[in-house]
Structure formats: structure tokens, C-alpha cells
Amino acid sequence: MDTMDTTPPAAAAEAAETAQERGLKRKADEVQPTQGPRRIRALDQNVVNKIAAGEIIVAPVHALKELIENSVDAGSTMIEVLVKDGGLKLLQITDNGHGINKDDMAILCERFTTSKLKQFEDLTSIGTYGFRGEALASISHIAHLTVTTKTKESSCAWRGVYSDGKLVPPKPGQSAEPKPVAGKQGTQITVEDLFYNVPSRRRAFRSASEEYSKILDVVGRYAVHCEGVSFSCKKHGDADMGVTTSSNASIIDRIRQIHGSAVASELLKVEIKDKRLGFTATGMVSNANYSVKKTTLLLFINHRSVESSLIKKSVEATYAAFLPKGGHPFVYLSIEIEPHRVDVNVHPTKREVNFLHEDEIVELINEKIREQLASVDTSRSFLTQTLIPGTVGIPTPVRGDKATQAQSTQDNNTAKGASSGTAKSHRPQQAKKPYENNLNRVDAKAQKITTLFKQQSSAGIEADDETVSEEPKEWQEVNYKTIKRLRADVRESMHNDLCEVFRDHTFVGIVDESRRLAAIQHGVKLYLVDYAAVCFELFYQVGLSDFGNFGTIKLNPPLAIRDLLRIAAEQERHTHAESGGADEFDWDEAVDKITTLLIDKAPMLSDYFNMTITPEGDLCTLPLLVKGYLPSMGKLPTFLLRLGPNVDWKSELECFESMLREIAGWHVPEILPPSQSASGEPKIDDSTGAVASAAVTSDEEQEIDKRRVELMNAVENVLFPAFRKRLVPPKALLRHVSEVANLKGLYRIFERC
């Protein structure tokens, strides 16, 4: 038998209404019939104002930011902030600015009332923080607002109480007009019971301490940036200040007071200006000695505190090459852009702005930061001597003496090396990390098993008493248009995927020494890399970035250029004769012309490329591109010989480019002949097919084996880390990087087996 529903209709309706209010689903028979299209009505102005206020004033910190900017616009030199319950109960800001005229107080909190803007075109040249006239209006709709102000001409201060944009009586029965009170010049704005009429917004805040920390952050930002303005911020009832700075403090002192001495003592100044892009950037950035777990970025664009994910990510990527894994920098950056290039009216709270040429400006700023970080370590002193292979002890160098030669390759030209130069860098001893045996390796880039063995110097040469050191030199900024154009060409040719591979790669090992191939890992992929081609590109780019600021290889004693060129000419003559061609070229005349040319160009070579040549034709110094790696001195004669025909000495752009490419080619690691110890078989003379005599090869083998160890150490510990830090891989390197294994692909193969 069916049961009857005895619930009264009124009770059922009340239950359905209660269920609907609680958000419960209604039954099918309870669905109300659809209504017709609703009429469009204009919202009440009070509702409109509250909606707008909720967009502009999201939290107490946003209200404070608007008030601080108004105080700075008023020419204040002192700003005091008082906070209670995270700014929800009380938020008071006091300044000593120009003040507000009594006649303007009636419309002070009405929307779109401002003294900084008259027509829309003024936005293209706006130079103040505020311009819309919505801050005080928005606050008055969601809080109890009191304004006390006094101008220089006024005999007393005036106090007004506002609600919903209008002056209201302080107490029932009193007049709403501003009241005269005692006070000093400036303005005091008191915001009480913020979001009192928006309970859902008020309940959304987690804790008063969290909101107070946000307030301290924004006060600290403006305290660092606003020079000549003193700031103080504290909780209501506390004697201690949360933030305090003096008006005459320098920027470093302000950073020290707010962010601590640890970062203040490790700051580098950054300044960059570009008339073409219409911007000037200044700031203070931390050096490589300072790192924290989270990036601190104080970014101001046209003196307005803003956020930019693009700038933050690019700065973090720049620092990734200098800081340890997981380390992040401190960066204070103030960018001033011509007002007509900036659109400030893109965000309700003015937290973001748009500006023209954003990518180019960010790239120039990062390049400047990168140069500043690299310039901290400007000491590049290397000790050199000249050795003749085959002698015992410390030999006396003989210029023009042709040594037993090893094969080397430079830009598809084969030449035999001359006397080998040797060098060793002077480095301060680094303190060993304590208790390394208790540490576990969790990252392949952090430590490898080879680091447990005794490491040789990357230059790997033992020095003797005949060494010369060079004093550190200061970094010189080079702003030649030709160099900037060449740098821009490098940036335009960058391949994003290759850049990611080299930036995050892990060195696996050298695969084929004779072909100069090495294996690297990136993610789950294994790549085969022609490190000779990558080295050439790296050295060329280092030449561009460090142009005019190269390290120095000092030759002691100097080498005669004419003798070196004769060695190279003899090598070319011998190579040409072996190929069976008729030798009709006058090599002696070429040697004389190139010697004269290099002596004539000595001032330019010294200023730009760190090649010092005496009027007598002696070579005293050579450029060094990467600290810790010494190029082969066996390739030096061929390098000098190629400077004659392969460098365009007439055009500045082509001269710089071709010269840097020749220097890069000389720095590329050479190919060493296989040694007897490596192959396990006697070395065969290519010309006769007979076993080479021990008298000829014994000392040479030792020198070659020694150089081989140096190169392998330098490739792993100097060059590939430099790829990670400084290389901008161009698209042309795609043909020199091959993927040989992919873990996902291998899994598919194993699944089919």
C-alpha cells in the first residue's frame, strides 16, 4: 500500500527553499518553469562604486600602495605608516607633503577627481604615480575614511570624514563640512574597518600577520626606491619599527636597513642607457657570492612598483650560469622609459604596465647584468715559457728553430705545430668543503667519480722561474655600433631548443678524440656533439661579449713574428709539395708583407685584441678568451699567417668579425696524433710506412701524452661548463649535434622484444 505524504504545503515550501539556499540539488518535479528574457537595468551607483572598489582595493596592501604613491606625488620627504590587525582594523599614513586645499575636500573622494590629468592625451606623458582619481573614492566605499590635511598657506589643519565618496558628519547631528583642527603641514589619511561592508572579502584573509608582512614588503620596496624620502612602518601599540629608513641614506644603506647586511655587501651597480629604445635602467644587483632560495626582485618602471614575469624569468636565467643550483639573486631595478612608449592603464591596481620594445630592453638589461657579473673576476694572469720538445730540463728558447711537429687542424687547413708554449694560471687556493665523504651525490652535475681523483690544472703546465704575471685590469665598456650589430646577429640566430640542451646538459665523456666528438645528456636524451664546432662558436661569442677586455697570455721571452711566419710558410710549402702541385707562390714575399702589416696594425691589435707587437716585430702578448684554457702554441704560426689574407682590414665590421673568427679558430682544441700508449701498437711513419725510431718519438710522445691529458681535462672541466654558462647556440650548430639515444624510444624497443 502506498504511503501518503502528510507534510504540510507550507513546510514543504520552506524545506525546498532551505535546500536551495544550502546549495542542494532540487528534484525533477521541483524545477521551476523557465522565465522569459530578463530586462536590462542600470545598476545603482552605490553598487557600481562597490564593484569598482573591489577591483582596485583587493587587500590592505593595495590601499597602502595607492596612499604611498599619493604621498610621494605630493612631494613628501617623510612618510609614516601605522597598522593594526594587518590593516583591516586600522591603516594610517602620515606625510609632510603639500597638503590638500580646503576647497577641494568636498570632491576629494569622488570618482575620477584628480589634479594630475585633464584629458586622455595626457596619459602619453603622465609622470606621476596616480592619474585616475579612484584610490580614495574606492577606499571610502569599503571603509571608514578620515582625512586630515594642512597646506603651507593654511593657518590650521582641516579634517573631513568620508563615506561612499561624500563628506559625512563625524557624529550624528554634526555638520559634514571639514572641521578645523591643530596639525602640521602634510596629510594624514586614516582607514578604519576595511571591508566592513564586504564580509565575504574580509573573511578571505587568512591572518593579520600575513597581511602585515605584505605591507612591510611594499613599504620596503618604496623605501629602497624613493631617494630623499624617509619611511617608517610599525604595528599599532608596538614600540619597535617594522621598517625604518632615513631621508639622507644612500641606496645601499637603505637596502642594508631593509634586507640586511649580507646582501648589501655583495651588490653591483648596473647602469644602461639606450637612446634608440628610449630608456634608462639603473639598479643594484647581487654578485655571485650571494644567493638565496627565492628571487628578490624590486622592479620599478617609471618609478612605479610593478611586476613582470618576463623580466624575473630572464634575470633568473642570467644568474643560473653564475649561482649554484637552487640559488637565486637579489635585484633592484629602476627602468625609466619615455612616457609615450609606456601604457600604464592596463591593470586596475597598476601592478603591470606595457611598453614598446620590451624584449629588446630586457635582453639589453640582462646582457649588462651578465657583463657586470663576469667583470667581478677580472684577474687573468698566466705564467708562460717557451719549450723545445726533445730537450731535458729548462731549455733556452731559440726563435726560428723548427721543432718536431704534431698535426693540428684549423678551419680545414692542416699545419704542423711550432714550438709549444706552456702556461699555468695563478689561482687562490680554494677551501675544501668539510666532510665531503659524508655527502651523497644526488645530481650528476654536482659531482662525478672523477672529482675524487687528483685534478690537474686546466692549463696543466708546470711553471719555472722564468714566468711573468699580469696585474688585473678594470673592465672597459665597448659601445661600438659594429660590435653591437654583431652581438645582435648572434642573438637573432639563436636556436631555442639547442640553447636549452646546452644550458641544462650533463657531460658524459669524450667519444672520439680524433674526430673531436663528445657525448652529453639532456633529460632522457643522449647527444653526440662536435665540440670543435661548438668551441669555435663559443670563442667567437666570448670575443664579442668581452671585446676589448680579453685575458692576456704573456710570452717571456717574446717571439719574433717573422720567424713564426717562416715556420708556417715552410709548413704550407711542404703541404703543397706533398699534394703534387707546382709551388709558384712566393712565400718569402708573403712573410715580409704579413710581418709589415701586423707591425702597422699593432696599435689596433693591442687596444682591441690584446696582441702586443713591438716595432721590431716581436710578439709579446696574445689574447686569452676563457680563463683556465690555454690554446695550442703549435697553432700559433698558422694563426699569424692566416691574419694576412683572411682578415678584411679595410672595413671595421668585417675586420672585427674576421679577426674574432681567426682568434676563435686558434683557440679550438687541436687534433693530436694517436700515441703508442693509447693504441698499443708502434707508431708508423706516414711517409715511409716504417716504424718510427724511439730516438725521434720518445720525448715527443711524452709531450703529446701530456697535452692530451690537459685537453681532456680542459674539455670536461672548462669548455663544456662554459657552454652551459655563455654559449648562445645558433641554428648552424644543428648539424653538429646529433641525437643518438632516447630513453622513451629505448623503452618501446624493449617492449617489442
Side-chain angles (χ1 to χ4, degrees), residues 416-464:
K416 295 182 179 180
S419 57
S420 301
T422 59
K424 183 177 182 180
S425 62
H426 276 222
R427 297 181 179 178
Q429 294 184 354
Q430 298 180 354
K432 294 183 179 180
K433 296 181 180 179
Y435 309 112
E436 286 189 356
N437 57 317
N438 294 330
L439 301 177
N440 294 326
R441 179 168 67 92
V442 295
D443 189 347
K445 291 184 288 187
Q447 184 181 12
K448 297 178 66 175
I449 194 171
T450 54
T451 60
L452 301 177
F453 305 138
K454 183 179 180 181
Q455 294 291 331
Q456 294 188 359
S457 169
S458 55
I461 306 299
E462 296 182 359
D464 62 2

Side-chain angles (χ1 to χ4, degrees), residues 317-576:
T318 300
Y319 270 91
F322 297 90
L323 298 182
K325 184 177 181 181
H328 294 84
F330 170 90
V331 176
Y332 159 66
L333 197 60
S334 175
I335 306 175
E336 295 187 38
I337 308 175
E338 296 175 357
H340 67 274
R341 299 174 182 259
V342 183
D343 185 3
V344 296
N345 194 28
V346 297
H347 196 277
T349 63
K350 299 189 281 284
R351 187 179 62 184
E352 300 176 0
V353 297
N354 292 339
F355 53 93
L356 297 178
H357 311 295
E358 184 173 4
D359 293 335
E360 295 182 53
I361 291 176
V362 172
E363 178 60 30
L364 289 176
I365 292 173
N366 286 325
E367 183 179 345
K368 183 63 177 180
I369 293 176
R370 191 179 301 111
E371 290 178 359
Q372 288 291 95
L373 292 173
S375 66
V376 174
D377 186 10
T378 56
S379 176
R380 298 183 179 182
S381 304
F382 293 86
L383 310 176
T384 64
Q385 71 178 34
T386 305
L387 296 179
I388 299 178
T391 61
V392 180
I394 301 173
T396 301
V398 179
R399 292 181 291 186
D401 182 23
K402 184 176 180 181
T404 305
Q405 300 157 352
Q407 184 178 5
S408 63
T409 303
Q410 178 176 341
D411 287 32
N412 299 324
N413 288 340
T414 304
K416 295 182 179 180
S419 57
S420 301
T422 59
K424 183 177 182 180
S425 62
H426 276 222
R427 297 181 179 178
Q429 294 184 354
Q430 298 180 354
K432 294 183 179 180
K433 296 181 180 179
Y435 309 112
E436 286 189 356
N437 57 317
N438 294 330
L439 301 177
N440 294 326
R441 179 168 67 92
V442 295
D443 189 347
K445 291 184 288 187
Q447 184 181 12
K448 297 178 66 175
I449 194 171
T450 54
T451 60
L452 301 177
F453 305 138
K454 183 179 180 181
Q455 294 291 331
Q456 294 188 359
S457 169
S458 55
I461 306 299
E462 296 182 359
D464 62 2
D465 295 335
E466 299 181 11
T467 58
V468 178
S469 62
E470 181 192 8
E471 294 296 328
K473 62 179 182 179
E474 295 183 359
W475 184 274
Q476 298 178 355
E477 185 66 26
V478 177
N479 294 317
Y480 296 149
K481 294 182 179 180
T482 50
I483 296 299
K484 289 184 177 180
R485 179 178 171 184
L486 293 175
R487 292 172 180 170
D489 292 342
V490 170
R491 291 193 296 269
E492 292 174 359
S493 65
M494 181 183 69
H495 192 277
N496 293 328
D497 293 339
L498 275 183
C499 186
E500 182 178 355
V501 168
F502 280 103
R503 185 181 66 242
D504 300 325
H505 80 271
T506 300
F507 180 81
V508 177
I510 297 177
V511 177
D512 191 337
E513 181 186 336
S514 62
R515 298 170 61 188
R516 293 180 287 190
L517 297 177
I520 62 173
Q521 178 186 348
H522 178 260
V524 296
K525 296 181 180 181
L526 185 68
Y527 295 91
L528 204 61
V529 177
D530 181 356
Y531 63 83
V534 182
C535 282
F536 179 80
E537 189 63 36
L538 169 72
F539 291 132
Y540 173 68
Q541 294 179 12
V542 171
L544 285 175
S545 62
D546 296 354
F547 187 81
N549 297 278
F550 300 136
T552 302
I553 303 174
K554 274 202 168 185
L555 303 176
N556 186 25
L559 303 177
I561 292 180
R562 189 179 301 274
D563 294 341
L564 295 173
L565 291 174
R566 285 173 180 170
I567 294 174
E570 184 63 27
Q571 295 169 359
E572 293 294 331
R573 184 184 292 110
H574 181 69
T575 302
H576 192 70

Side-chain angles (χ1 to χ4, degrees), residues 710-735:
E710 297 165 8
L711 277 183
M712 294 180 67
N713 179 49
V715 167
E716 178 178 358
N717 299 316
V718 179
L719 297 182
F720 271 87
F723 296 163
R724 184 182 299 113
K725 297 176 182 178
R726 306 196 64 178
L727 180 66
V728 181
K731 300 178 180 67
L733 279 183
L734 282 173
R735 62 177 181 268

Side-chain angles (χ1 to χ4, degrees), residues 125-297:
S125 59
I126 194 72
T128 57
Y129 290 101
F131 54 87
R132 288 191 299 236
E134 288 187 289
L136 290 176
S138 299
I139 295 173
S140 70
H141 284 281
I142 55 177
H144 300 131
L145 179 65
T146 304
V147 178
T148 304
T149 183
K150 179 182 182 298
T151 60
K152 185 178 181 180
E153 295 78 12
S154 177
S155 59
C156 64
W158 296 91
R159 177 175 296 165
V161 180
Y162 295 85
S163 178
D164 295 333
K166 302 292 184 180
L167 279 168
V168 296
K171 294 181 180 180
Q174 296 182 356
S175 172
E177 291 297 318
K179 302 294 187 295
V181 294
K184 56 184 179 180
Q185 180 178 339
T187 302
Q188 182 184 79
I189 297 179
T190 304
V191 181
E192 296 176 289
D193 300 324
L194 191 61
F195 301 116
Y196 75 96
N197 54 357
V198 191
S200 59
R201 177 71 63 86
R202 192 178 181 94
R203 288 195 300 266
F205 298 108
R206 296 180 181 178
S207 65
S209 59
E210 183 177 350
E211 297 305 315
Y212 181 65
S213 65
K214 294 178 181 178
I215 289 175
L216 290 181
D217 177 70
V218 72
V219 173
R221 289 173 180 267
Y222 281 95
V224 169
H225 177 73
C226 297
E227 188 176 359
V229 182
S230 66
F231 283 82
S232 65
C233 179
K234 70 173 184 176
K235 288 183 179 180
H236 182 268
D238 285 1
D240 297 334
M241 292 288 183
V243 170
T244 177
T245 59
S246 59
S247 58
N248 57 355
S250 65
I251 183 172
I252 295 181
D253 292 335
R254 297 196 298 270
I255 293 176
R256 179 179 291 108
Q257 292 173 355
I258 297 172
H259 297 277
S261 299
V263 62
S265 58
E266 304 289 348
L267 292 177
L268 302 173
K269 190 173 183 179
V270 173
E271 292 183 351
I272 182 172
K273 184 177 182 180
D274 192 299
K275 294 183 179 179
R276 181 179 67 86
L277 300 178
F279 85 99
T280 302
T282 59
M284 305 294 292
V285 300
S286 59
N287 58 26
N289 296 327
Y290 176 85
S291 65
V292 289
K293 294 182 179 180
K294 186 178 179 181
T295 300
T296 302
L297 176 61

